[in-house]
Amino acid sequence: MITVEEASAQVLSRIPVLEAERVPLLESLGRVLAEDVISDIDVAPFDNSAMDGYAVRYADIATASEDTPVTLSVIEHIPAGVEPRLRVAPGQASRIMTGAPVPAGADAVVKVEVTRAGENDGGTGGTVEILATAKLGENIRGKAEEVRAGEAVLLTGELIGPAAIGLAASVGHDHLMVRRRPRVAIVSTGDELVDVTEKPGPGKIRNSNSYSIAAQVTQAGAEPHMLGVARDTEEDTRALLSRAPEFDLMITTGGVSMGDFDVVKKVLEEIGELDFWRVAMRPGAPQTFGTIGGTPFFGLPGNPTSTMVGFEMFIRPALLKMAGRTALARPRVVATLTHDVRKKADRRYFMRARLTATGDGTYSVAVSGNQSSALLTAMHRGNCLMSLPEGESFIAAGTSVMCIRLDMEEGTA
Ligand code: AMP
Ligand code: MG
């Protein structure tokens, strides 16, 4: 058996980064940029007002205060979206709205809250009293503050989030060049499986793994393709596994333990190449990895939680790498164990657990339910995997343990 770290390193060394494609702007959300995004204009395109108020000459209002107000004549009203026509001369002001271009001659904007309307209600042709001074340039947002024409506003390798979508839109890009989403084939194996729509007959159970895996694939930003269930025969398993080259990655569940009908490893060795098949971890020691026709292949164990933990530890980082991501590890946090744990010393344990913030900046952690790998509820109720190292067989309450956060994305925290 190899360690979790050895298995991860072997997997990642075989994972390619996928090519790029040009997609409509909104479809780029969650993907990795494969080009710099260059702006066609200055953003902002012109100096503009950050406030509703009056565009003034600083020299005119430098000494203004409540007791010594300065009265200016209002020459123009400038709404957003309209080009000013008049230059502000000494003793003058223009009424201006947020986002409107600052008129020539003005070098500060006084917000409306520190003015008092005079003649004509402070409108064009009337007057305004300025009741407070402003700094030179105050409330003026500069031309090209975000980006200059011809310069990059987004860089190759950056992950596209909502703010990046907004930036791309502001510089005129309605399509972006991003890494392709991995296409992932999902196969469940087992004569006992029936579909979710069926009531299981004697000896049968519903196929839940195809669904939980498809959900994990989707959450990892990849595209699930459920190919169905392979019966526990070499022919049926071969027929589905041989479709691996149609996809970027293939995942099977079940059929990799020591039972009489566990044929996945045998078929993999026959039509592909086996890299490893056992990892010193619990749940899910029978983690099978290899390639079929060059496509990375993962034979996950059949027990529903072993399947999900195997996906989390090995497949999710692989899918992120394919999609061009560079942060591949979930955030980890040290927490104080609230109860004793007994384990086998020969392997790493990933216990389904719940982290709780204690309020003083530290965390406590406890298992989130029955740890049988056949059960999913503890996985559902938990928010982390408590990682307990090889070499230990008893971990006492109060010990600091490492927890892998499943509720936070890679590259955060
Ligand atoms: P196996 O590795 O094929 O022996 O499967 C181990 C356990 O996981 C058995 O109890 C199976 O019935 C169960 N199992 C296998 N595949 C699935 C599946 N797709 N959905 C739910 N349970 C499964
Ligand atoms: Mg089976």
Side-chain angles (χ1 to χ4, degrees), residues 57 60 70-75 88-93 126-128:
R57 300 173 70 98
D60 282 348
V70 173
T71 301
L72 301 172
S73 45
V74 180
I75 58 168
V88 176
Q92 296 181 336
T127 59
V128 63

Side-chain angles (χ1 to χ4, degrees), residues 189-190 192 232 254-255 262:
T189 73
E192 73 277 33
D232 286 323
D262 292 331

Side-chain angles (χ1 to χ4, degrees), residues 231-234 237 255 260-268:
R231 297 299 149 200
D232 286 323
T233 62
E234 286 179 38
T237 304
D260 295 341
F261 303 97
D262 292 331
V263 296
V264 169
K265 175 167 160 269
K266 186 156 186 248
V267 170
L268 171 62

Side-chain angles (χ1 to χ4, degrees), residues 36-116:
D36 291 352
V37 175
I38 307 298
S39 181
D40 62 338
I41 55 166
D42 289 342
V43 180
F46 43 83
D47 289 349
N48 65 95
S49 179
M51 289 285 175
D52 297 328
Y54 288 86
V56 299
R57 300 173 70 98
Y58 167 72
D60 282 348
I61 57 98
T63 60
S65 72
E66 199 110 19
D67 298 334
T68 58
V70 173
T71 301
L72 301 172
S73 45
V74 180
I75 58 168
E76 189 177 15
H77 184 175
I78 313 166
V82 169
E83 182 75 358
R85 289 174 302 108
L86 301 175
R87 181 182 181 84
V88 176
Q92 296 181 336
S94 284
R95 188 162 167 79
I96 191 166
M97 301 296 111
T98 304
V102 173
D107 51 17
V109 170
V110 177
K111 61 182 176 184
V112 73
E113 291 88 335
V114 292
T115 68
R116 186 160 50 220

Side-chain angles (χ1 to χ4, degrees), residues 316-381:
R316 185 178 160 96
L319 292 176
L320 297 183
K321 180 177 176 188
M322 278 187 167
R325 304 268 286 262
T326 47
L328 304 181
R330 292 270 202 189
R332 277 147 209 258
V333 60
V334 174
T336 306
L337 189 57
T338 63
H339 53 76
D340 296 346
V341 172
R342 275 167 223 286
K343 64 183 279 293
K344 288 188 176 163
D346 66 341
R347 55 190 71 179
R348 182 89 45 92
Y349 272 37
F350 294 115
M351 300 188 87
R352 284 68 72 203
R354 185 140 203 107
L355 276 168
T356 308
T358 54
D360 61 4
T362 67
Y363 289 91
S364 67
V365 66
V367 292
S368 48
N370 188 323
Q371 296 291 301
S372 162
S373 62
L375 308 177
L376 271 182
T377 302
M379 189 79 192
H380 165 61
R381 298 265 151 82

Side-chain angles (χ1 to χ4, degrees), residues 47 65-66 89 106 128 148 163 181 209 215 217 227 269 286 359:
D47 289 349
S65 72
E66 199 110 19
V128 63
R148 278 179 198 292
R181 288 188 191 282
N209 288 349
V217 165
L227 303 192
E269 284 177 306

Side-chain angles (χ1 to χ4, degrees), residues 371-409:
Q371 296 291 301
S372 162
S373 62
L375 308 177
L376 271 182
T377 302
M379 189 79 192
H380 165 61
R381 298 265 151 82
N383 58 8
C384 73
L385 293 173
M386 200 196 303
S387 175
L388 302 178
E390 295 90 328
E392 309 270 349
S393 56
F394 176 75
I395 298 154
T399 305
S400 292
V401 295
M402 187 63 80
C403 299
I404 301 166
R405 294 198 69 152
L406 303 183
D407 58 347
M408 290 174 84
E409 288 241 339

